Amino acid sequence: MPLTSGTKLGPYEITGAIGAGGMGEVYRARDTRLGRDVAIKILPQHLASTPEVRQRFEREARAVSSLNHPHICTLHDVGHQDGTDFLVMEYLEGETLAKRLERGPLATPELLRIAIEIADALEKAHRQGVIHRDLKPGNIMLTKAGAKLLDFGLAKSSVAPTVVDLSGSPTMSQKIAESPAPLTARGTIVGTFQYMSPEQLEGKETDARSDVFSFGAVLYEMATAKRAFEGKTTASVIAAILKDQPAPVTTLQPLAPPALEQVVKTCLAKDPEERRQTIHDVLLDLKWIAESGSHAGVPAPVVAHRKNRERVAWGAAAFLLIVASVATIGYVLRAPKPTSVIISEISPPEGIHFLFGGTSGAPVLSPDGQALVFVGEDSQGRSQLWIRRLGSDTALALAGTDGARFPFWSADSRHLAYFGKGELMRIAISGGPPISVAAVPAGVGGAWGYDGTIIGTPTPVSGLIGVSASGGMPFKVTKLNQLRQEINHVDPQFLPDGRHFLFYARSAIGEGSGTYAASLDGGEPKLIVHGDSAARYADPGYLLFVQDGTLMARHFDSASLSVSGDATPLAEHVGVDMVRGTGLFTISNNGVLAYEPGSTTGGQARILWFDRSGKQIAETGTPGVFDNASISPSGNKLAVGLTDPGTRKPDIWIFDVARGVKTRLTLSPSISVDPVWSPDGKEIAFLSNRAEGRLSLFKMNSDGTGDATPLIADDAAERDPSWSVDGRYLLFSRKESGPGSHSEIWAVPLTGERKPFVVLRGQFNLHQESISPDGKWLAYVSDESGRPEVYVAPFLRGGGKSLVSASGGNYPLWRRDGKELFYRSFDQKIISVAIVESGADLTIGKVQPLFQANPAAGGIGAMYDVAADGKKFVIPSQGPEQVAVPLKLVVNWPALLKKQ
């Protein structure tokens, strides 16, 4: 009978179940003496009477107690109470390797790190005379402290061999409750057969080399996310293990190091004599691959198995050493001169154009310099990721990446990450579907480190967050500095040590922007250089940045985090994304450079008007860097956030729609964004960081008279201002500054005491609210389903909510008569939803996509507005520079420095 919460086993109080298997049940418990959480494994009473089961349970206790290793789960205690035998073990937070592999193969650096940790743990066990015999992904736990080897329930002493006959029976966990035979009984397979060695299946004597075989099967699965031996039945799997060879790792993962393929192959040899003889040999191989990088070749021969083979191996090694020495000497004598600079162009595919900066991000070279990824858009406004191998004249679209933005590479050049549909996604370039990593509402760039950590900017007005590439809970990496009036942290890039990274801090103060260095281990960021655009690290020890349209290079020591010497020009007329302050160039680790030529206005937009079919019907003003646009109640004016190209500081401007002329509304040295008109057109609410450097809610007269009035004065972050149609309330989303807080919807009365109050709150993020014209309904966005969706609920009255969007959506807006609701989908479509109101009830009618939008750089607001009659839409859209221009490609750019 399972234990319930509150049950006590000695000083241990059960708090919940963790899992169960053939050999026991595992519970989470609290050690009341030491005040720590532990894991308790119990032997069920209906099995305790079986001698072989009890023998195995005791064997696990003895095996684990003899091992003390950082990557082996620690045994704290052994106990017996009321007929229940139990083990008290270290409680581990994380996920099993088996669970992780459900999301796809591991990147090479992560694979090697985990494999080295497990091999080291196995070596410790083998040196203590303990053989695991049930090594599999399900018995490996991935934690923040590294991998942990679990479940020595089948372990045996290497000095007391066990003989098992035959190979067709179930595993021990399947037979345990029905057979009184001892553990070494005839006809019983001990272990999980998918990972068992041939000698185990054939009932032969087993030793440490059986663990080597199982380790090879696990290694294969880590690299490919597929089992080395598969079949439709138990018999077919066993037959595959006995006689088949798995498909080569490099067939399934072409970019896997050749040396890894060789290690897996030798571990999986059918004959134990042909296998790596010790896990120590395997450990050395893996460390060598890790030190040699992703292009490591086949490792040198290891010590052979028998004396005659040993002589042959050493003789061959000596011969190869002589040959290698001669070849090395010859290479040195005829070492090639440095290659000259090669400058060429890369054009987009026919019918496609590059998207530079803005909401899409610039093209990015892979770290190994072999490929280029970019967001390509067709004539219909549809965009997706494309990959162009530099050795090929064609580009290939990556299926399933529609609407992808801001792509970036993994450190080993085998995977891509990008933002799309409210999530951070990753995809293997060798094939396979995109995989969600984390919910990120409006990410604007990132970096992927060697240890599998991804850092990025989750919204256009935030610091950096971090998350494991395998998924998990995001965590804060950097915090905006209010004294410097920082707007955001963008363009992160890992430095060679894998812990430190660069990022660009954009400030509302003219001289406050600059490139900083920080560490994943914490600490105050260090200013590296001031500048109007981000600086990026490039081998061999330089920072590259754009200054007045010229790409510059300056010496940089990544160890001391310091610059030296003067900057040297590399190329003229290099584009800059004015919204994020990042140069439109990309560099690889081997001297390849690519950049957008001829533009310093990256990120500019046009204020375009569309009808319901998506046909452009008008344009207001001239191109610029725009934030949200809001139509006045009369329809003849437009309030927008517009960034000054000199100071790069956004302010609120008012356009006369008919004449296209504009008047500046806000004059503060702080930023002002996301304007929204009051129902009578006399006031405008907006966000500004003029109060202690953080974005807060203000309002001022729309004719420019008087000063801005603060509406909220607290330490929380306010967003999404929205007026009620009667003008009585100003709604906004509010998020506390503490960890684990969620966005809530609040309102501030505009008469009386003006005391803010909560409208909606919960365990999820609630924001982007919009009140219906009759004041009865509130449309808003919640991520309670795991992604942002649009809902409608009664406003300030009881009642349930209704789901509006079908597959994700944000920024709902009402038509003036309340009979239609609009929102923006994740793939940038404007969606129409019919609303039918009957008394106190509201019915969601037909949901219909209207047209594909092309909103400009990630502004803070909705980035669209709809006219009162629902027939016209205004959208600050991608600028005129997004045309089918080619990229400049420079091979061996460091040689340009020698020409100066």
Side-chain angles (χ1 to χ4, degrees):
M1 180 178 178
L3 301 182
T4 58
S5 295
T7 301
K8 288 191 174 181
L9 296 174
Y12 308 105
E13 182 176 348
I14 302 297
T15 58
I18 295 177
M23 283 308 302
E25 300 162 356
V26 184
Y27 295 88
R28 183 172 181 172
R30 188 71 175 172
D31 185 338
T32 57
R33 297 171 304 179
L34 300 178
R36 65 180 176 185
D37 288 332
V38 295
I40 291 187
K41 183 175 183 179
I42 71 166
L43 182 62
Q45 292 183 357
H46 72 282
L47 299 180
S49 59
T50 308
E52 68 275 9
V53 178
R54 194 179 190 89
Q55 177 188 0
R56 177 178 167 185
F57 196 78
E58 293 171 353
R59 181 184 296 111
E60 179 174 9
R62 290 194 300 270
V64 178
S65 65
S66 68
L67 305 175
N68 182 17
H69 191 276
H71 298 297
I72 296 177
C73 184
T74 303
L75 176 67
H76 293 314
D77 196 3
V78 179
H80 178 86
Q81 177 175 306
D82 301 329
T84 299
D85 295 282
F86 59 91
L87 304 179
V88 183
M89 311 186 78
E90 174 185 10
Y91 176 72
L92 301 174
E93 291 187 352
E95 64 177 346
T96 64
L97 178 59
K99 184 67 175 177
R100 163 61 187 85
L101 290 175
E102 291 177 3
R103 301 194 296 272
L106 300 177
T108 298
E110 184 182 14
L111 180 152
L112 291 172
R113 176 181 60 79
I114 295 172
I116 287 171
E117 291 171 350
I118 295 304
D120 197 41
L122 274 178
E123 183 188 22
K124 172 70 173 182
H126 290 176
R127 287 183 183 275
Q128 295 289 109
V130 176
I131 303 169
H132 194 284
R133 297 204 304 173
D134 196 21
L135 186 63
K136 58 184 179 180
N139 281 340
I140 297 171
M141 180 70 77
L142 305 181
T143 73
K144 291 182 179 180
K148 292 275 189 175
L149 188 55
L150 313 176
D151 202 350
F152 280 78
L154 294 180
K156 76 177 186 72
S157 169
S158 61
V159 298
T162 299
V163 179
V164 183
D165 287 344
L166 209 53
S167 61
S169 64
T171 66
M172 187 65 184
S173 62
Q174 293 168 307
K175 291 279 289 183
I176 199 73
E178 55 185 286
S179 173
L183 180 64
T184 58
R186 181 181 181 87
T188 301
I189 296 175
V190 180
T192 305
F193 64 85
Q194 291 93 340
Y195 304 92
M196 290 169 56
S197 65
E199 60 268 24
Q200 282 178 284
L201 293 172
E202 292 176 333
K204 297 179 180 179
E205 181 177 341
T206 61
D207 55 27
R209 292 173 298 181
S210 294
D211 276 357
V212 171
F213 184 93
S214 300
F215 183 81
V218 172
L219 201 58
Y220 183 95
E221 194 166 341
M222 291 166 68
T224 65
K226 296 182 181 295
R227 286 180 174 172
F229 305 101
E230 294 188 286
K232 295 182 179 180
T233 64
T234 300
S236 62
V237 173
I238 293 174
I241 294 173
L242 294 176
K243 64 185 181 72
D244 294 343
Q245 297 294 335
V249 169
T250 50
T251 299
L252 300 175
Q253 293 293 335
L255 297 182
L260 181 63
E261 172 74 63
Q262 183 69 8
V263 171
V264 172
K265 182 178 179 180
T266 52
C267 286
L268 293 178
K270 309 296 184 187
D271 184 352
E273 296 292 335
E274 301 296 330
R275 231 173 267 157
R276 288 285 193 267
Q277 292 301 282
T278 68
I279 198 68
H280 179 72
D281 292 338
V282 180
L283 178 61
L284 293 179
D285 289 339
L286 293 171
K287 288 182 176 179
W288 178 81
I289 298 172
E291 293 169 358
S292 302
S294 62
H295 299 291
V298 178
V302 296
V303 178
H305 322 310
R306 297 176 180 171
K307 290 184 178 180
N308 60 332
R309 291 181 181 172
E310 189 175 75
R311 296 190 189 99
V312 172
W314 279 110
F319 174 77
L320 291 174
L321 180 60
I322 294 171
V323 173
S325 300
V326 172
T328 301
I329 293 171
Y331 177 83
V332 171
L333 292 176
R334 62 177 187 278
K337 299 294 187 295
T339 59
S340 58
V341 178
I342 300 174
I343 300 177
S344 59
E345 293 183 341
I346 296 181
S347 298
E350 185 176 355
I352 300 295
H353 60 264
F354 296 125
L355 291 182
F356 297 114
T359 53
S360 302
V364 187
L365 286 165
S366 59
D368 62 10
Q370 300 297 307
L372 180 85
V373 64
F374 60 91
V375 180
E377 184 179 66
D378 63 20
S379 59
Q380 304 300 314
R382 293 184 294 265
S383 63
Q384 61 183 325
L385 293 185
W386 292 73
I387 287 186
R388 165 79 178 268
R389 294 281 182 183
L390 298 191
S392 171
D393 60 356
T394 59
L396 300 176
L398 282 180
T401 62
D402 293 356
R405 305 179 305 116
F406 296 101
F408 54 97
W409 292 87
S410 62
D412 62 3
S413 302
R414 295 174 56 187
H415 294 77
L416 287 166
Y418 63 90
F419 298 95
K421 300 182 179 178
E423 295 183 282
L424 170 63
M425 310 290 291
R426 64 180 175 88
I427 186 171
I429 63 171
S430 59
I435 298 172
S436 174
V437 175
V440 179
V444 290
W448 188 335
Y450 282 102
D451 67 351
T453 299
I454 290 176
I455 56 177
T457 310
T459 73
V461 285
S462 69
L464 298 173
I465 62 168
V467 67
S468 170
S470 59
M473 183 66 67
F475 54 90
K476 282 189 176 182
V477 174
T478 64
K479 182 180 180 181
L480 298 182
N481 188 301
Q482 296 181 355
L483 294 178
R484 291 195 292 264
Q485 296 190 35
E486 291 178 349
I487 301 170
N488 55 21
H489 293 165
V490 295
D491 208 26
Q493 179 195 15
F494 280 101
L495 292 173
D497 68 358
R499 300 300 295 174
H500 288 85
F501 57 90
L502 300 177
F503 68 90
Y504 184 68
R506 179 178 166 221
S507 170
I509 304 173
E511 300 298 322
S513 300
T515 298
Y516 288 76
S519 172
L520 291 177
D521 300 320
E524 187 68 21
K526 177 183 178 180
L527 175 66
I528 305 300
V529 288
H530 281 296
D532 292 334
S533 71
R536 296 179 190 150
Y537 176 80
D539 283 333
Y542 284 90
L543 287 183
L544 270 59
F545 55 92
V546 179
Q547 180 177 303
D548 297 327
T550 298
L551 183 62
M552 310 291 288
R554 187 177 179 187
H555 280 287
F556 175 68
D557 185 341
S558 62
S560 63
L561 302 177
S562 60
V563 292
S564 61
D566 296 327
T568 301
L570 294 179
E572 296 181 343
H573 307 299
V574 178
V576 173
D577 180 349
M578 292 184 62
V579 176
R580 296 188 302 140
T582 59
L584 298 178
F585 68 91
T586 174
I587 41 183
S588 70
N589 293 338
N590 60 349
V592 182
L593 162 71
Y595 64 90
E596 180 211 3
S599 172
T600 59
T601 58
Q604 284 203 346
R606 301 163 61 193
I607 299 178
L608 304 180
W609 296 78
F610 302 90
D611 64 16
R612 291 176 66 93
S613 69
K615 179 183 177 181
Q616 181 183 329
I617 55 177
E619 179 173 358
T620 296
T622 57
V625 180
F626 296 109
D627 186 66
N628 193 36
S630 177
I631 305 172
S632 67
S634 63
N636 62 356
K637 292 183 179 180
L638 194 68
V640 299
L642 173 61
T643 297
D644 182 275
T647 64
R648 291 182 31 226
K649 182 182 75 69
D651 274 295
I652 308 299
W653 291 72
I654 306 296
F655 276 89
D656 183 301
V657 174
R659 297 186 298 150
V661 297
K662 65 181 186 293
T663 303
R664 184 170 172 172
L665 180 67
T666 58
L667 300 173
S668 166
S670 301
I671 68 171
S672 299
V673 292
D674 202 8
V676 181
W677 292 88
S678 63
D680 59 8
K682 294 181 179 180
E683 292 180 301
I684 289 180
F686 60 96
L687 299 173
S688 177
N689 67 343
R690 62 188 70 192
E692 300 183 8
R694 64 179 178 274
L695 284 176
S696 299
L697 202 57
F698 289 78
K699 72 180 180 72
M700 67 180 300
N701 296 332
S702 60
D703 61 6
T705 60
D707 297 324
T709 302
L711 295 176
I712 304 295
D714 59 20
D715 294 330
E718 282 83 37
R719 298 288 189 276
D720 313 321
S722 174
W723 298 80
S724 62
V725 177
D726 59 10
R728 294 175 57 196
Y729 303 103
L730 188 66
L731 275 71
F732 57 96
S733 65
R734 180 180 184 274
K735 186 175 182 180
E736 295 283 357
S737 58
S741 59
H742 298 89
S743 296
E744 303 170 342
I745 296 175
W746 284 58
V748 55
L750 298 177
T751 58
E753 295 184 3
R754 300 191 177 187
K755 184 178 181 180
F757 61 90
V758 178
V759 176
L760 282 180
R761 117 181 331 157
Q763 298 301 310
F764 308 96
N765 289 307
L766 309 172
H767 52 154
Q768 299 173 15
E769 68 295 327
S770 178
I771 303 180
S772 63
D774 61 7
K776 295 170 59 177
W777 305 98
L778 179 69
Y780 65 96
V781 171
S782 170
D783 61 3
E784 61 194 75
S785 67
R787 64 182 176 189
E789 298 278 7
V790 177
Y791 295 83
V792 171
F795 178 57
L796 300 182
R797 5 181 225 115
K801 61 180 180 292
S802 299
L803 176 64
V804 175
S805 55
S807 56
N810 51 33
Y811 293 110
L813 295 175
W814 294 87
R815 196 171 78 188
R816 189 63 57 86
D817 61 5
K819 295 182 179 180
E820 192 173 19
L821 184 68
F822 305 94
Y823 68 88
R824 201 176 78 193
S825 67
F826 290 149
D827 56 357
Q828 311 303 340
K829 288 185 175 66
I830 303 299
I831 310 295
S832 161
V833 182
I835 301 296
V836 179
E837 186 177 6
S838 177
D841 297 325
L842 180 143
T843 302
I844 307 300
K846 182 179 180 181
V847 178
Q848 176 184 5
L850 296 182
F851 62 92
Q852 178 73 51
N854 188 23
I860 296 176
M863 296 304 291
Y864 82 102
D865 200 3
V866 58
D869 59 5
K871 295 181 179 180
K872 293 192 302 182
F873 299 82
V874 62
I875 305 174
S877 302
Q878 291 280 9
E881 76 280 3
Q882 315 298 348
V883 294
V885 298
L887 284 174
K888 286 286 187 182
L889 183 70
V890 182
V891 178
N892 192 28
W893 68 264
L896 292 172
L897 299 171
K898 301 176 182 180
K899 295 182 178 182
Q900 303 300 322

